[in-house]
Amino acid sequence: MSTTRRDWLKVVASFATGAVLGAAGGYYAGLQSIKKAVEKTTTSTTVAEAPKTQIGLPKMKIHFIYVGPVGDYGWTHAHDQGRKFLERTLCPDPNKWCIVETSYTESVPEEQAYSYVKNAVSGGAHMVITTSYGFMDGTKKAAAEYPDRFFAHCSGYFKDQQEWSRLQNFAEYFIDLYEAYYLNGIVAGKMTKTNRLGYVAAFPKLPEIIRHMNAFLIGAREVNPNVQMDVVGLGAWYAPENATRAAQALVDTNGVDVLAFTEDSPAVLQAAENYQKQGKKVWSFSHYSDMSQYGPNANLTGQIVNWGPLYVEMAIRAYLAWISGVLSIWSEWPPERPRDYWWSMKNSYAYYDYKKNPADILPLNPAVPDEVRKYVEERRRQIIEGVWDPFTGPVRDMQGKVRVPDRARLSKDELYNMDWYVEGYRQLPS
């Protein structure tokens, strides 16, 4: 008897159970279900030619393409931790219980994405995951050329319905941190003494960064309406030296005493820590990964992301579609927006610690007063439970125009395409 679509969906369900339990036993049960299904399946040529374990499980080769170095301890480091989580989960025993084999290329220029994706496919990759906004067009181009492979791109979008329908083997994904930035902003608003916040932004006109800056400022002004924020743009995702200089200018020239940032290194936090060592109270945050070792005194908290569970979700669906030839296992998920994964703190579990949530904040610095801790935790739980969102109206822009009406919220598309700035900015790059 051959394996049916219903059988494959049962396998997906078994992995979902393992993810909730967070235990190796749950994932082993999923791998055992795959083994039984594979034994009843006639596979395609690409599957037949794939390397197999001792018990006959085909291994899907998944290649990651990174924009920065894995040692940046920010964006790329977090993605590589997710890759390692994926491999630990789906390949706990490489010789026996294993269905994936991962590899990566780091520090890839965004304009060269297409050639690197093609090289990955030529090298035998069955799935390619690209992890920077600027890789989008190159990844889509390769997806159109290789319909028998799977592609996933981080932080992009489908340009129209026609493109979405055409690229059935391509998915967009993101774990957004605007809710975590909002919580950081609450802490910043309470910890500042000068009422001047600073933000070092890789690309301050990019919707993703506008969304994060706005959420941070909304949180700060919720608890301290006198706060204003200055922004310095870098024009690069990874620029430690420039980020350090920008942080110093914000503190020394603008009077800033709390620094946030979107730059893929601990440079801004290290700058704040240096001021602390000189006896000046300047605070900052971790970004994407726990950077507290670089600023044990200055690190107030920080937005962190765990890509691993999402990578497991996508890889399982790609693997089962690859094995079965049933593309819909991949192409019709998630049901609300197929092939458009959008995770955030709302995908977290209130009673899990931050290390298990897709997006969250780090434990707060002991210097943060108890009443602030309580308020941050109250808002955190409201966000996770879906009863509060940072962009709950009324929200006004810099010109005082109401952008979000009273008690309304922004849609995913409105958040994703944000091109306006909320009230409270003092200085923005021209």
Side-chain angles (χ1 to χ4, degrees):
M1 181 183 295
S2 63
T3 306
T4 66
R5 184 177 188 274
R6 179 174 293 182
D7 292 329
W8 291 113
L9 293 177
K10 287 180 181 178
V11 175
V12 174
S14 71
F15 273 97
T17 301
V20 172
L21 294 175
Y27 289 118
Y28 267 110
L31 291 169
Q32 290 169 343
S33 298
I34 283 182
K35 181 178 181 297
K36 292 177 183 178
V38 167
E39 289 171 348
K40 298 189 293 183
T41 301
T42 302
T43 59
S44 67
T45 301
T46 58
V47 176
E49 293 175 349
K52 295 177 176 61
T53 68
Q54 294 172 358
I55 59 172
L57 282 173
K59 290 186 181 181
M60 171 180 260
K61 293 185 177 181
I62 304 177
H63 190 78
F64 287 75
I65 295 179
Y66 300 143
V67 71
V70 294
D72 66 10
Y73 226 79
W75 173 264
T76 295
H77 175 80
H79 280 283
D80 199 54
Q81 292 301 302
R83 178 190 66 83
K84 292 176 180 178
F85 178 92
L86 166 65
E87 196 158 75
R88 288 195 304 270
T89 302
L90 300 186
C91 188
D93 180 349
N95 295 320
K96 187 176 180 182
W97 296 105
C98 181
I99 61 171
V100 299
E101 179 181 304
T102 72
S103 57
Y104 67 87
T105 305
E106 60 186 324
S107 301
V108 173
E110 290 184 319
E111 67 276 8
Q112 297 179 30
Y114 171 68
S115 62
Y116 277 88
V117 174
K118 283 198 67 172
N119 288 342
V121 174
S122 299
H126 305 104
M127 182 178 188
V128 181
I129 297 175
T130 60
T131 62
S132 185
Y133 177 81
F135 293 158
M136 181 173 65
D137 291 342
T139 308
K140 288 178 179 177
K141 183 178 179 181
E145 293 180 10
Y146 298 98
D148 62 337
R149 309 299 169 100
F150 296 87
F151 300 84
H153 170 258
C154 184
S155 74
Y157 57 91
F158 288 98
K159 295 178 180 178
D160 51 41
Q161 184 67 26
Q162 182 179 8
E163 182 180 70
W164 177 85
S165 298
R166 180 170 54 87
L167 296 177
Q168 294 286 307
N169 60 333
F170 174 90
E172 287 288 356
Y173 72 96
F174 197 59
I175 298 179
D176 203 288
L177 288 168
Y178 76 93
E179 298 143 328
Y181 272 99
Y182 160 80
L183 296 174
N184 290 348
I186 292 173
V187 179
K190 283 295 189 180
M191 294 299 289
T192 180
K193 300 300 182 185
T194 66
N195 290 331
R196 292 282 175 83
L197 309 182
Y199 201 111
V200 179
F203 296 96
K205 295 184 180 180
L206 191 69
E208 173 191 336
I209 295 181
I210 295 174
R211 183 169 65 248
H212 293 169
M213 293 192 304
N214 282 349
F216 180 76
L217 189 51
I218 286 172
R221 288 172 64 85
E222 180 177 310
V223 297
N224 183 351
N226 295 318
V227 159
Q228 292 183 308
M229 188 163 80
D230 295 339
V231 178
V232 175
L234 298 176
W237 292 112
Y238 182 71
E241 293 182 2
N242 290 342
T244 299
R245 286 193 289 269
Q248 291 169 343
L250 285 166
V251 174
D252 296 339
T253 304
N254 297 34
V256 163
D257 63 353
V258 184
L259 294 160
F261 61 97
T262 305
E263 189 272 334
D264 298 340
S265 79
V268 173
L269 177 58
Q270 288 173 308
E273 183 70 13
N274 287 335
Y275 283 109
Q276 292 269 352
K277 291 176 180 177
Q278 297 166 21
K280 187 171 185 175
K281 294 295 184 183
V282 177
W283 309 96
S284 191
F285 304 88
S286 289
H287 173 61
Y288 284 110
S289 303
D290 183 355
M291 297 177 172
S292 55
Q293 62 179 300
Y294 296 100
N297 298 298
N299 189 69
L300 287 171
T301 174
Q303 66 282 353
I304 58 167
V305 61
N306 297 311
W307 295 101
L310 179 51
Y311 283 146
V312 170
E313 166 84 23
M314 291 193 298
I316 282 295
R317 290 193 169 274
Y319 183 86
L320 296 179
W322 176 59
I323 290 289
S324 67
V326 181
L327 184 60
S328 61
I329 295 173
W330 159 269
S331 65
E332 295 180 4
W333 193 266
E336 65 275 11
R337 296 177 71 101
R339 287 173 286 116
D340 190 359
Y341 293 84
W342 172 270
W343 285 17
S344 71
M345 284 184 65
K346 296 181 181 69
N347 295 88
S348 302
Y349 300 92
Y351 298 102
Y352 281 9
D353 66 41
Y354 68 93
K355 295 179 181 178
K356 295 182 180 179
N357 290 334
D360 212 330
I361 59 171
L362 291 167
L364 273 60
N365 188 308
V368 178
D370 286 344
E371 65 270 19
V372 181
R373 294 172 178 275
K374 291 177 182 177
Y375 187 70
V376 169
E377 181 58 22
E378 178 185 353
R379 280 302 200 203
R380 174 180 174 269
R381 289 181 177 270
Q382 289 173 343
I383 289 170
I384 289 172
E385 294 163 5
V387 299
W388 176 253
D389 185 88
F391 289 97
T392 299
V395 179
R396 293 178 171 82
D397 65 17
M398 291 180 67
Q399 288 72 43
K401 178 182 177 181
V402 175
R403 291 286 188 158
V404 188
D406 188 31
R407 292 183 289 183
R409 295 187 184 185
L410 295 178
S411 68
K412 187 261 188 181
D413 288 336
E414 289 171 325
L415 287 166
Y416 216 82
N417 295 295
M418 187 171 288
D419 60 357
W420 51 273
Y421 300 88
V422 299
E423 293 178 305
Y425 288 91
R426 196 179 73 98
Q427 173 184 301
L428 279 167
S430 57

